[in-house]
Amino acid sequence: MNLIKIKAQYEEVRKQIVDSYVWKSIFRHGYKDIPRNRVLMTASNVFLHLHPSKMRRHGIKVSYTWCAGGLTFLFFLILTVTGVILMFYYRPVGEYAYVDMKYLQFDVPFGMIMRNMHRWSAHIMVILVMLHMFRVFLTGSYKPPREFNWVIGVILLVLTFLLSFTGYLLPWDQLAIWAVTVGTNMARATPLMGNEGPLAEQMRQLTGLITPRYDARSLLTAGTIVGAPTLLRFYVLHCIFIPIATAVLIIVHFWRVRKDGGISGPL
Amino acid sequence: MAEPHKKAEKIVPASSLTPDKIHTWPFLVRNEFIMGVVTLIAVTVWSILIDAPLESPANPARTPNPSKAPWYFLGLQEMLVYFDPWMAGVVLPSLIIVGLMMIPYVDLNPKGSGYYTFRERKFAVSVFCFGFLILWIFLIFVGVFLRGPGWNFFAPWQEWDPHKVVALTNVDLNMFLAQHLGIDMLRDTVVQAVFGTALIGAYYSLIGVFWKWKSKTIEALQELGVIRYGIVAFLFLTMMALPIKMVLRWTLNIKYIVKFPWIGLNI
Ligand code: HEM
């Protein structure tokens, strides 16, 4: 039959390539598809050994995990790479930040695409992390023994929001400062610790603090308004503190997935 | 275990008792690879086609109307319509985070772990879906698409008119009752504080009432124990306070249930 002929031809070509001088100089030996080799592929690769070498069949089904956790991680990586590239061109200073954005968009080769990718990926990551939480809830995957991994997940959810929120300020345009103004204004109303919150007056008399300059909100904004000091503070949080905290917790999260018996499933 | 050279394996239903393990390599890694490549291509194309927004430079003197927080916080911003900032911006978000973290420790139902089911965990799934899909996602949609200048309602096809005047007819509950039931005593600040506190106390005392009423007959409640039940009920009633206040606002224009002007706390 035709199919058999094609297959034979394919085998012939494959053999010629694999047996060629060049190929042999790159790959010293072939890969024999046997269980031992399959296990070794995961176990002896520093990146792949994040995975167990064997797993339950439904764990790879898209209909089960929606790929949401894995894709969240992929977007975290995309954001790290594009973010580092942006850092080469961006200065978190009131006078420069906006100009640097323009420079990045119009003069830096591929600058616009890098910025677009960073921005859109940030939105996607926030959506994906919420979807991931939703699927973990719907499959009851937080039930024993995975209780604590859910707790780590909730912290990751908050960190993802904070990453996105601190990044939102950095373009230093109208959208940025006013969105962050609205967001940080909330902290003014923190009970006890915000200068307009319940019991603020009493706390002010008691401690002498809790003024517009020294309260829960100014801790975030580094001043009474969202200004240049806020920009620097958010930049450091966005590029250093929160990404590191997130990366560490992602490692713990993945480690716990394995220690808790791999992807959840019936029984 | 996979046979040598056997590529496609027979599909075993996930619920089957036979061991249904597969090798991570190639099955999971292949899926991850395909998903990764497709995703990378998709975000790259998207980033080439659509530019990230960059508005005019930050100007602290020019407040846009409306000022919106980043989209994922618009559910919280929407809550500001119904609650003061200390509630909508600080207390409720904190309770959401803490509440999420507690889920694994208060959901003792062993069923529905590792597979999708509604029938076996009706209460958990309904409450979570209500909170996530309606109070979080739906309110985000409202905030993004239906809120315009002055945080007024605008249908998506309506033009945003910054001069739209919406009569502020909101009244506090005590005034409402004083007017309609003729209880003039309630106009007094102290009386309304006592009355409002009693009302909220009565709301939360439903926790105890329901326990007394049902704990003997509903097995799940006995298993939960009084403390875990109390936490669940408290979080549930607090979550329901939002839709309750929304309905009170839409139907009767009620603003506050109770006010404590001495410490700047209104609910
Ligand atoms: C930066 C954020 C996050 C990343 C990168 C991440 C990544 C992952 C990955 C790759 C998995 C493997 C299974 C899958 O893909 O579904 C997983 C599982 C899990 N995640 Fe996350 N996750 C994140 C946030 C969260 C959040 C917000 C929650 C819940 C509130 C959560 C709870 C869990 C739990 C309980 C599991 C085990 C699920 C199971 O065994 O079926 N994670 N996570």
Side-chain angles (χ1 to χ4, degrees):
Chain A
M1 244 182 55
N2 213 4
L3 213 69
I4 296 172
K5 236 168 78 188
I6 292 174
K7 209 161 172 212
Q9 271 168 0
Y10 165 80
E11 269 306 314
E12 184 60 32
V13 174
R14 198 187 77 92
K15 235 174 103 63
Q16 269 184 18
I17 296 175
V18 171
D19 288 344
S20 72
Y21 182 43
V22 176
W23 184 276
K24 275 268 146 72
S25 77
I26 304 171
F27 305 101
R28 289 291 180 201
H29 53 82
Y31 166 76
K32 206 153 150 225
D33 196 15
I34 56 172
R36 188 185 137 79
N37 274 345
R38 288 180 172 187
V39 169
L40 280 176
M41 280 311 273
T42 23
S44 59
N45 176 307
V46 67
F47 297 109
L48 290 183
H49 97 288
L50 208 61
H51 294 311
S53 48
K54 287 182 209 158
M55 55 185 294
R56 288 148 99 187
R57 176 180 305 276
H58 72 275
I60 67 163
K61 280 199 191 142
V62 179
S63 59
Y64 185 73
T65 63
W66 309 354
C67 284
L71 286 181
T72 309
F73 182 55
L74 177 65
F75 277 97
F76 182 73
L77 296 180
I78 297 177
L79 285 160
T80 309
V81 173
T82 53
V84 168
I85 293 171
L86 295 179
M87 280 175 80
F88 284 121
Y89 300 98
Y90 175 86
R91 288 164 291 178
V93 181
E95 290 86 356
Y96 294 143
Y98 186 76
V99 188
D100 285 348
M101 296 306 289
K102 286 281 184 200
Y103 174 58
L104 205 103
Q105 296 199 164
F106 293 107
D107 278 344
V108 177
F110 299 107
M112 188 79 224
I113 293 182
M114 283 303 123
R115 168 158 194 248
N116 292 346
M117 251 176 131
H118 196 74
R119 179 112 181 174
W120 300 136
S121 299
H123 286 315
I124 299 171
M125 181 174 169
V126 172
I127 296 173
L128 280 172
V129 74
M130 299 196 300
L131 278 180
H132 173 58
M133 179 184 75
F134 194 42
R135 112 62 198 152
V136 170
F137 185 89
L138 290 183
T139 57
S141 301
Y142 57 82
K143 299 193 177 197
R146 297 185 178 77
E147 304 97 319
F148 191 63
N149 215 14
W150 169 273
V151 175
I152 294 170
V154 175
I155 303 173
L156 279 171
L157 176 79
V158 175
L159 286 175
T160 307
F161 284 141
L162 289 180
L163 266 176
S164 183
F165 184 66
T166 48
Y168 217 85
L169 183 66
L170 304 185
W172 207 233
D173 62 348
Q174 280 289 77
L175 194 63
I177 66 158
W178 291 104
V180 169
T181 302
V182 171
T184 48
N185 270 348
M186 298 289 124
R188 237 202 280 265
T190 313
L192 300 174
M193 276 153 7
N195 80 83
E196 285 174 16
L199 291 167
E201 194 53 52
Q202 286 78 354
M203 280 300 278
R204 192 151 38 234
Q205 277 157 16
L206 206 67
T207 62
L209 284 170
I210 317 302
T211 60
R213 180 60 189 89
Y214 290 106
D215 73 336
R217 175 173 174 277
S218 69
L219 195 69
L220 295 169
T221 56
T224 50
I225 59 158
V226 174
T230 322
L231 183 60
L232 184 59
R233 186 159 291 197
F234 272 43
Y235 177 78
V236 174
L237 287 173
H238 183 75
C239 300
I240 300 187
F241 183 75
I242 311 178
I244 292 176
T246 309
V248 170
L249 279 175
I250 288 179
I251 294 170
V252 179
H253 194 60
F254 288 177
W255 182 74
R256 283 300 294 234
V257 171
R258 298 238 357 224
K259 294 293 152 184
D260 294 342
I263 303 294
S264 59
L267 282 174
Chain B
M1 263 242 291
E3 303 287 317
H5 297 289
K6 197 168 159 198
K7 285 251 166 64
E9 285 164 284
K10 228 181 79 213
I11 302 289
V12 185
S15 57
S16 137
L17 288 174
T18 57
D20 66 336
K21 292 251 183 169
I22 53 171
H23 284 111
T24 304
W25 174 285
F27 300 107
L28 174 66
V29 177
R30 176 222 282 149
N31 281 10
E32 289 176 337
F33 181 74
I34 295 171
M35 275 311 250
V37 169
V38 170
T39 309
L40 276 173
I41 293 175
V43 277
T44 308
V45 171
W46 180 358
S47 303
I48 290 172
L49 295 180
I50 305 177
D51 284 346
L54 185 64
E55 298 188 354
S56 50
N59 180 354
R62 206 163 54 82
T63 314
N65 185 9
S67 293
K68 290 191 183 183
W71 62 267
Y72 39 83
F73 286 156
L74 287 189
L76 302 178
Q77 201 175 348
E78 183 65 22
M79 291 204 299
L80 278 177
V81 177
Y82 308 99
F83 286 106
D84 273 2
W86 71 274
M87 247 326 239
V90 184
V91 172
L92 291 178
S94 310
L95 282 179
I96 293 173
I97 296 168
V98 174
L100 281 175
M101 286 182 178
M102 296 237 228
I103 289 176
Y105 303 99
V106 294
D107 179 2
L108 299 189
N109 179 1
K111 280 181 270 175
S113 172
Y115 53 98
Y116 294 95
T117 171
F118 174 67
R119 219 166 25 82
E120 294 169 34
R121 41 197 291 248
K122 285 192 183 114
F123 178 74
V125 174
S126 325
V127 173
F128 193 84
C129 285
F130 180 72
F132 181 69
L133 296 175
I134 309 288
L135 297 185
W136 186 254
I137 302 289
F138 174 70
L139 285 190
I140 286 176
F141 272 96
V142 171
V144 173
F145 296 109
L146 303 180
R147 291 297 191 179
W151 210 252
N152 287 317
F153 254 116
F154 288 89
W157 56 86
Q158 272 176 328
E159 206 178 319
W160 278 8
D161 173 9
H163 305 295
K164 174 171 171 174
V165 179
V166 178
L168 286 178
T169 49
N170 294 338
V171 290
D172 298 333
L173 184 65
N174 65 319
M175 289 305 183
F176 179 86
L177 293 178
Q179 239 169 40
H180 288 81
L181 303 181
I183 316 174
D184 277 326
M185 222 166 63
L186 279 177
R187 291 178 200 273
D188 182 73
T189 321
V190 178
V191 175
Q192 71 77 31
V194 174
F195 172 74
T197 311
L199 214 57
I200 290 174
Y203 180 62
Y204 279 106
S205 73
L206 289 176
I207 299 173
V209 173
F210 190 76
W211 176 259
K212 272 266 170 292
W213 181 38
K214 285 287 184 190
S215 63
K216 293 276 170 348
T217 45
I218 301 181
E219 232 176 89
L221 286 187
Q222 277 164 12
E223 223 174 286
L224 212 53
V226 69
I227 292 178
R228 270 182 294 237
Y229 160 78
I231 293 171
V232 175
F234 170 77
L235 290 171
F236 177 73
L237 286 182
T238 308
M239 176 173 103
M240 293 315 285
L242 176 62
I244 288 173
K245 269 206 94 175
M246 289 166 97
V247 170
L248 281 179
R249 179 68 60 83
W250 299 333
T251 52
L252 305 175
N253 292 316
I254 302 293
K255 189 165 167 65
Y256 293 126
I257 307 292
V258 63
K259 291 168 292 179
F260 301 96
W262 314 280
I263 53 172
L265 190 146
N266 306 311
I267 297 173

